Amino acid sequence: MTADGALARIIRAAGRTGPAAGERCELCAAPVPEEHRHLHDSAEDGVRCVCGPCAVLFTDSGAGGGRFRLVPRRRVRLPRIDTAVLGVPVGLVFFVPRADGTVTAQGPSPAGAMRWEVDAAAWRRLADQFPQLASMEPEVEALLVNTVQEFDQHWIVPVDDCFRMVAAIRREWRGLSGGGRVWPVVQEFFAGLTERS
């Protein structure tokens, strides 16, 4: 039996026996639990949900011709970092270094994530001061910063954490300023972050 035939059989079986609703692996269509891994798709510059067996296939960074990279799980809380030197005018933002040396900053909004290009030289100077930033994996890890209200939190997190935060904010946003439901969601999100390697 060919690999394509086996994959088609798995997809059909998952469709018959899987739940009617819920997330599915975006590679093989198997149902995925609420807590599941993600792949960064460099061609789409986004993340894809994957089941455990498909995630294992991409533990090597060269798998899939390098198009897909498994998003790591590492979270590290950092000391206060003066990110104002990066020229981003918002207090809730995440910075994603790219393989080509560029860095993008993204902040949540009612329409999704807003995006800015960050001065690469300013990022390198900041990484010289904070070596943890230089250890970040391009495209799949982010520096997540919250300096809004009384918060002053800085984390290295998997990029899917950032997208989860953006989705939660977008879901709760009301009116021009976000309304009263957004900031409790942000507080709950940051309270739920725990360090892990």
Side-chain angles (χ1 to χ4, degrees):
M1 176 179 297
T2 66
D4 290 340
L7 181 58
R9 196 168 33 86
I10 292 168
I11 291 169
R12 282 193 305 275
R16 284 194 304 269
T17 61
E23 290 188 273
R24 294 193 169 270
C25 176
E26 293 183 59
L27 296 183
C28 75
V32 295
E34 186 174 334
E35 288 291 320
H36 58 270
R37 301 294 301 269
H38 292 95
L39 292 178
H40 178 264
D41 181 345
S42 61
E44 302 289 327
D45 193 23
V47 294
R48 295 176 177 263
C49 299
V50 290
C51 64
C54 286
V56 169
L57 297 174
F58 294 93
T59 54
D60 183 342
S61 62
R67 174 179 172 176
F68 297 109
R69 293 188 54 219
L70 190 61
V71 175
R73 294 183 169 182
R74 174 175 80 138
R75 287 187 191 137
V76 180
R77 186 156 187 180
L78 301 174
R80 186 182 190 290
I81 298 175
D82 183 9
T83 54
V85 299
L86 299 175
V88 177
V90 295
L92 182 58
V93 64
F94 59 97
F95 299 90
V96 181
R98 304 292 175 179
D100 64 4
T102 62
V103 178
T104 58
Q106 298 179 54
S109 78
M114 300 177 298
R115 189 177 220 168
W116 302 269
E117 291 297 320
V118 173
D119 179 50
W123 176 264
R124 284 191 300 274
R125 287 191 297 273
L126 201 59
D128 287 343
Q129 293 175 357
F130 297 93
Q132 300 98 324
L133 300 181
S135 75
M136 291 171 57
E137 291 188 46
E139 276 104 23
V140 293
E141 289 188 310
L143 169 63
L144 177 60
V145 176
N146 182 7
T147 58
V148 178
Q149 298 171 343
E150 73 278 1
F151 287 98
D152 196 0
Q153 295 193 36
H154 301 76
W155 289 82
I156 292 175
V157 296
V159 73
D160 54 359
D161 276 353
C162 300
F163 295 135
R164 189 168 45 88
M165 178 192 69
V166 169
I169 289 172
R170 187 175 182 188
R171 185 175 52 248
E172 299 300 332
W173 194 284
R174 301 292 182 271
L176 293 174
S177 64
R181 293 168 34 176
V182 168
W183 295 113
V185 166
V186 171
Q187 290 173 348
E188 182 180 336
F189 174 83
F190 276 88
L193 291 179
T194 57
E195 289 197 280
R196 64 187 183 200
S197 55

